[in-house]
Amino acid sequence: MSKSAKNVVKEFYNCNLVTEPEKVLSLIHDDVELIWNSTDGLTIMNHSEILDTFKEIQRTYKDLRVEISHILEDDDYVTVRYKYYVRTIENEDEELGIAHFISIWQVKDEKLYRGHQISQPVMSADDSTGTYHKVKS
């Protein structure tokens, strides 16, 4: 039985890129493309560029955790709102929120295929406690 697009996206974001890199990579389509708008501007990434980003994350952080607040499915498209938390190698006892994201993924062959993502760094004025409670997914 095939997985729904929503379940594929949930599985991807619930994996820990630092401790489960093979599982994360198994959910990325070979022909993936990610269009990412961030404070640095527009970045368009293919499979190898995404892998390079993953390697940098693994090199930099001791642990990575995502907290999903919203996830919506429409056929093979899934929209997800989430926040990343990290523990650095230098201070693994402290968990820090690093960025807020909203991503829209097209799922193909039970893998992330086409993505549109927008992100914003966490700021000290953020009210994460009131807006990032987990919702029914």
Side-chain angles (χ1 to χ4, degrees):
M1 185 171 160
S2 64
K3 294 185 261 185
S4 71
K6 183 177 178 179
N7 284 337
V8 170
V9 172
K10 283 171 65 173
E11 184 177 354
F12 174 79
Y13 286 105
N14 286 324
C15 289
N16 186 319
L17 178 59
V18 175
T19 61
E20 304 173 292
E22 298 83 16
K23 188 173 182 182
V24 173
L25 295 177
S26 74
L27 297 167
I28 302 289
H29 198 282
D30 289 341
D31 297 321
V32 68
E33 180 179 71
L34 175 61
I35 300 168
W36 184 357
N37 293 91
S38 71
T39 54
D40 293 331
L42 178 67
T43 304
I44 300 174
M45 301 171 79
N46 62 27
H47 193 271
S48 66
E49 293 163 325
I50 291 171
L51 292 182
D52 289 344
T53 300
F54 288 175
K55 288 176 187 173
E56 181 63 20
I57 289 168
Q58 292 165 345
R59 187 185 69 74
T60 306
Y61 299 114
K62 176 75 175 168
D63 191 35
L64 178 75
R65 178 177 70 86
V66 67
E67 187 172 280
I68 296 172
S69 66
H70 297 80
I71 187 163
L72 307 167
E73 180 180 35
D74 185 15
D75 295 322
D76 58 346
Y77 290 88
V78 178
T79 302
V80 59
R81 178 179 180 246
Y82 55 101
K83 181 178 178 179
Y84 271 119
Y85 296 86
V86 297
R87 293 182 190 275
T88 63
I89 292 169
E90 298 82 10
N91 186 4
E92 60 187 69
D93 293 331
E94 181 180 22
E95 183 179 66
L96 304 168
I98 58 167
H100 304 279
F101 290 84
I102 295 179
S103 300
I104 303 169
W105 281 104
Q106 180 184 10
V107 174
K108 180 179 177 182
D109 304 326
E110 297 187 5
K111 296 181 180 208
L112 302 185
Y113 178 61
R114 294 285 182 259
H116 301 269
Q117 178 169 278
I118 187 165
S119 65
Q120 178 177 338
V122 168
M123 308 296 264
S124 60
D126 290 350
D127 176 21
S128 294
T129 59
T131 61
Y132 270 87
H133 61 282
K134 290 190 178 189
V135 296
K136 183 177 179 183
S137 55

